[in-house]
Amino acid sequence: MTSSSSFSKFQSSIDANERYQYMSNIPPKTGRYIIVDTETTGMSKSDHIIELGAHEIINGKLTGAQFHIYIKPRIIMSQSIIKIHSITNDYYDKYYKDSYNSDKYNMEQFLKFVGSSLIFAHNAPFDLMFINNELRFWNIQTIEPKRFRCTMRIFYNVVSNVNPLVQSVMNLRKCCEYFNLNVNEEKF
């Protein structure tokens, strides 16, 4: 997840027509969907994913099927980024190397997990850009933008019709609070 000010840095790198043409559409309640979240080494184009998680939903219910990987940092992360996600520069070597296959293999497994499903993310253009950049890095086919749905954009489109003041309620924590959902503060 990223703040709206950080997100604006990425808007120019994604074609404006692609950015929201599909992402704010609400799909049918039935079907298979994947929820994703990424953690990155930073916010610039030279940064990359260091953690990728996904959960499966079928017909509106979490199935328990999930996918999770770490990717070894290819650059040194700043302390300000480490403070956001708590993954240190040596985390990979300390905790993950024993279960490691290869980053390319892991990204291929991610694509298999996703299959042809729609993918949901809060601030989807950010996750889409980083996921596709990681796939390009490993010379793997990227995911079409029309397969992504942005929960931040959907929330805004649905709730702003009811409450025009909702423009200030865009981050995931605030969206959960709006619907009185319990959130674990450690996860935000």
Side-chain angles (χ1 to χ4, degrees):
M1 288 180 280
T2 183
S3 69
S4 59
S5 62
S6 299
F7 170 67
S8 64
K9 294 177 186 177
F10 293 111
Q11 287 183 338
S12 62
S13 67
I14 301 171
D15 180 72
N17 290 329
E18 281 184 345
R19 192 173 355 183
Y20 297 119
Q21 182 179 4
Y22 301 105
M23 289 193 181
S24 61
N25 293 342
I26 299 174
K29 289 182 181 180
T30 58
R32 181 180 187 263
Y33 306 116
I34 303 297
I35 302 168
V36 300
D37 191 27
T38 60
E39 298 299 341
T40 65
T41 58
M43 305 284 205
S44 73
K45 289 181 181 180
S46 63
D47 288 302
H48 68 92
I49 294 173
I50 55 168
E51 185 178 20
L52 173 60
H55 290 270
E56 177 185 63
I57 294 178
I58 295 180
N59 298 329
K61 297 185 184 207
L62 286 168
T63 66
Q66 55 188 311
F67 179 88
H68 182 258
I69 58 168
Y70 291 102
I71 296 174
K72 187 173 184 172
R74 297 186 290 269
I75 63 171
I76 302 295
M77 293 180 286
S78 70
Q79 288 303 310
S80 61
I81 292 297
I82 291 170
K83 187 176 179 181
I84 291 170
H85 53 56
S86 302
I87 301 172
T88 60
N89 288 300
D90 62 350
Y91 181 90
Y92 180 90
D93 288 331
K94 281 184 177 179
Y95 304 106
Y96 190 62
K97 69 179 178 181
D98 292 337
S99 61
Y100 171 76
N101 290 309
S102 83
D103 293 332
K104 180 176 182 175
Y105 173 81
N106 288 338
M107 290 304 294
E108 290 168 339
Q109 293 306 301
F110 169 70
L111 286 181
K112 284 182 182 178
F113 179 77
V114 169
S116 61
S117 298
L118 287 178
I119 303 163
F120 286 79
H122 202 72
N123 196 359
F126 177 85
D127 291 301
L128 166 66
M129 183 183 75
F130 274 97
I131 289 169
N132 278 343
N133 285 349
E134 195 66 32
L135 292 168
R136 276 187 213 94
F137 182 84
W138 297 108
N139 295 314
I140 302 171
Q141 179 69 38
T142 59
I143 301 171
E144 296 177 10
K146 68 181 180 181
R147 291 189 45 211
F148 274 77
R149 297 295 183 270
C150 182
T151 57
M152 181 171 65
R153 185 60 47 193
I154 291 169
F155 174 83
Y156 175 75
N157 287 343
V158 170
V159 178
S160 66
N161 292 331
V162 176
N163 182 352
L165 301 175
V166 80
Q167 291 182 18
S168 63
V169 184
M170 295 297 271
N171 72 48
L172 189 54
R173 177 187 293 130
K174 293 290 184 185
C175 291
C176 290
E177 289 172 1
Y178 183 88
F179 290 111
N180 295 317
L181 298 172
N182 290 332
V183 294
N184 181 341
E185 288 297 318
E186 292 176 10
K187 301 293 182 190
F188 286 95

